[in-house]
Structure formats: C-alpha cells, structure tokens
C-alpha cells in the first residue's frame, strides 16, 4: 500500500471525524503503522502500545498467557488487545469496555477488532460496567482518557476498591496514567496508598515515556 510506504517519510492521514465524547479522532499511517489519535494525544498503537506492552512485560507474558479472563476498560483502537492476541498469544476471554460508539466503529473498520474471536466488545461506561459485572478477572487494564484528561472517578477510593474487589486472587490491575503537571504526581502517589497493603502490592513502574506512568496492583489474598 502506497500510503503505508510514504508514512515512513511523513504521516498520512486517512480518516478524521468529530466525536461528541472524544472530540477529534484521526486514523493515520505513521512509520508503517496505523494509529488512532485524539487532538492532542495518541489513543491507540504508536507510543501507547509500547507503554502498555511494557506493563504486560512487567507482569510477565507467560503469566498473562495462562490467564482465563481479562477486562480492558477503555478500548479505543484496541492496541493492547492486539498485543494480547497477536504478540503474547493470549487465547482466554477478553472483555473490552468502550464508552464512545464512534471509537468502536473506527476500531472495527480500521483495526479489525471484530475479527478477534475471544473478544467481547461492550459499549458502556467503565464506572457503570464495574458496578454491574458479576465476573472476577485475572487482569484488569485501565486505559481511559478523554484527549489529555483522565476522569476523576478513576482515582476515587470507591472505584479503586471496586476494581480490586473484581480481581481474582493473584490477579493484577494495570493502570495507565497521564502526568502533565506536578499535581498529577501527587495524585498518583496518593493512589498508591489506597489498596490495603496486607491484601495488595501496589507499585509504579519506572517511566519510559515522560508523560505516562503505569501503576500495577497485585492481589495477594
């Protein structure tokens, strides 16, 4: 494909639209790869895929591969789902929750998420879904942004405790956060202290991208 070849020299935009929830959405060929971006940040693939892949590596690819059910809150174009399916070879159940219907349509049309047989793609609000689900999960991946903004509920004690409750024993939370100001560093530090240390081990992974910090919670008991 000519666009893909040319993208090694300069980005080639192939789709752009407005979204009520995500505002601007763009699909672009960049360095031979399709990426999904909002107005000011990468939503899927590109740098975001590398960040989340590092988090999965921290947990351990072999351990992830043996899991039975993974929940992804914030699907976007589905880069972490593609990493699970195509790079790690994960064949267990994946439930992906995405609030923006236009993002879901893009993920199907340009990134073929509807072709992943073990994926159940759900149109819902992540907070509401977390309250309704009766499942327990081996891994919960949280990757929720509205452009460069993260909803406040993600850092509230009630939501953190609810997500931890949904984990199986030995399960993990992988939470991708954005750091754009000093107040965000303070916010993350406070977050690390919420899970009960007798039941959970909580760590922040050393940053590989200046503005992203991954937090990992492991359920010990």
């Amino acid at each position: 494909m000519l666009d893909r070849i040319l993208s090694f020299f300069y980005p080639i935009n192939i789709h752009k639209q407005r979204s009520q929830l995500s505002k601007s959405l763009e699909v672009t060929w960049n360095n031979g790869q399709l990426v999904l971006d909002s107005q000011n940040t990468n939503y899927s693939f590109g740098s975001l895929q590398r960040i989340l892949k590092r988090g999965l590596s921290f947990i351990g690819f072999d351990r992830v591969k043996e899991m039975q059910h993974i929940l992804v809150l914030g699907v976007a174009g589905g880069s972490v789902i593609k990493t699970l399916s195509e790079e790690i070879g994960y064949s267990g159940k994946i439930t992906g929750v995405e609030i923006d219907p236009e993002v879901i349509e893009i993920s199907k049309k340009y990134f073929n998420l509807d072709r992943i047989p073990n994926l159940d793609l759900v149109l819902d609000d992540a907070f509401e879904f977390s309250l309704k689900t009766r499942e327990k999960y081996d891994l919960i991946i949280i990757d929720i942004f509205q452009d460069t903004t993260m909803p406040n509920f993600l850092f509230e004690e009630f939501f953190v405790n609810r997500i931890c409750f949904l984990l199986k024993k030995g399960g993990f939370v992988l939470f991708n956060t954005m750091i754009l100001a000093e107040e965000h560093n303070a916010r993350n530090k406070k977050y690390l202290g919420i899970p009960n240390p007798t039941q959970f081990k909580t760590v922040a992974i050393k940053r590989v991208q200046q503005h992203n910090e991954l937090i990992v919670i492991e359920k010990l008991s």
Side-chain angles (χ1 to χ4, degrees), residues 179-187:
I179 306 290
L180 297 176
E182 183 55 39
E183 65 191 66
H184 297 156
N185 284 313
R187 174 203 66 193

Side-chain angles (χ1 to χ4, degrees), residues 11 22 24 41 60 63-64 68 75 118 124 147 152 162 168 172 180 207:
S22 305
S24 174
T41 193
R63 178 181 281 169
V64 171
Q68 296 178 330
V75 172
N118 55 328
D124 204 350
D147 196 27
N152 290 331
R162 178 61 183 172
K168 297 178 184 177
F172 292 85
L180 297 176
R207 296 181 201 175

Side-chain angles (χ1 to χ4, degrees), residues 49-97:
Q49 186 171 26
R50 293 191 294 272
I51 291 166
L52 291 172
K53 185 176 178 180
R54 177 176 173 81
L56 293 171
S57 177
F58 180 87
I59 294 168
F61 289 169
D62 289 340
R63 178 181 281 169
V64 171
K65 194 173 181 178
E66 296 302 315
M67 292 177 175
Q68 296 178 330
H69 197 172
I70 295 174
L71 173 64
V72 180
L73 298 178
V75 172
S79 55
V80 72
I81 294 171
K82 286 291 189 76
T83 297
L84 288 167
S85 177
E86 298 177 1
E87 298 187 51
I88 296 177
Y90 176 75
S91 59
K93 185 177 180 179
I94 304 171
T95 298
V97 180

Side-chain angles (χ1 to χ4, degrees), residues 23-24 40 46 48 66 91 110 128 151 160 166 176 200 205 214 219:
K23 298 182 181 179
S24 174
N40 297 298
L48 180 59
E66 296 302 315
S91 59
Y110 292 98
E128 296 295 330
V160 179
L166 295 176
N176 182 27
F200 300 92
I205 301 176
L214 292 172
K219 190 169 188 175

Side-chain angles (χ1 to χ4, degrees), residues 125-218:
D125 175 87
F127 181 81
E128 296 295 330
F129 181 90
S130 73
L131 297 179
K132 292 183 291 188
T133 183
R134 295 294 178 263
E135 297 280 344
K136 289 293 183 80
Y137 303 91
D138 301 286
L139 172 62
I140 299 174
I141 300 171
I142 306 173
D143 188 38
I144 298 175
F145 300 92
Q146 293 172 344
D147 196 27
T148 57
T149 302
M150 301 190 71
N152 290 331
F153 78 83
L154 295 172
F155 300 92
E156 293 173 357
E157 187 170 349
F158 177 84
F159 181 74
V160 179
N161 289 336
R162 178 61 183 172
I163 289 299
C164 288
F165 171 77
L166 295 176
L167 285 180
K168 297 178 184 177
K169 182 180 178 181
F172 292 85
V173 173
L174 176 59
F175 182 25
N176 182 27
T177 70
M178 187 171 288
I179 306 290
L180 297 176
E182 183 55 39
E183 65 191 66
H184 297 156
N185 284 313
R187 174 203 66 193
N188 280 22
K189 186 175 181 180
K190 181 180 179 182
Y191 183 97
L192 292 170
I194 293 177
N196 187 327
T198 64
Q199 295 180 287
F200 300 92
K201 179 181 178 182
T202 308
V203 297
I205 301 176
K206 184 178 179 181
R207 296 181 201 175
V208 290
Q209 298 282 345
Q210 179 183 358
H211 298 301
N212 289 83
E213 181 172 67
L214 292 172
I215 295 174
V216 176
I217 303 173
E218 179 181 3

